[in-house]
Amino acid sequence: MKRPGKDRRFYKCWGLIYYNPDDPSLFVDKQFGYGQTMNFAHRSSWYLMLFVILFPLLAVLIPVFLI
């Protein structure tokens, strides 16, 4: 039985982005190598990416503007 994370048709942009609306998993195995990637069809993955980008940005910019 194939795992949902290994079906090649759901990997976009040369295999870098996994997008499968029918897969309820937030994290799936990478297509190549070890590790996991996010299912960008899952709404929580977008919130997580927004947090990962905005938190360090705000941590740097807030002290700059407070000085």
Side-chain angles (χ1 to χ4, degrees), residues 48-59:
L48 183 60
M49 286 301 294
L50 185 66
F51 176 76
V52 166
I53 292 169
L54 286 181
F55 182 72
L57 186 64
L58 290 175

Side-chain angles (χ1 to χ4, degrees), residues 13-64:
C13 296
W14 302 287
L16 298 176
I17 296 174
Y18 180 75
Y19 189 89
N20 182 359
D22 296 328
D23 188 359
S25 303
L26 178 59
F27 292 101
V28 295
D29 293 335
K30 285 186 176 181
Q31 185 177 9
F32 303 110
Y34 298 105
Q36 293 184 332
T37 187
M38 287 191 291
N39 180 5
F40 283 95
H42 200 280
R43 181 176 293 203
S44 297
S45 67
W46 290 100
Y47 294 135
L48 183 60
M49 286 301 294
L50 185 66
F51 176 76
V52 166
I53 292 169
L54 286 181
F55 182 72
L57 186 64
L58 290 175
V60 171
L61 291 179
I62 288 175
V64 169

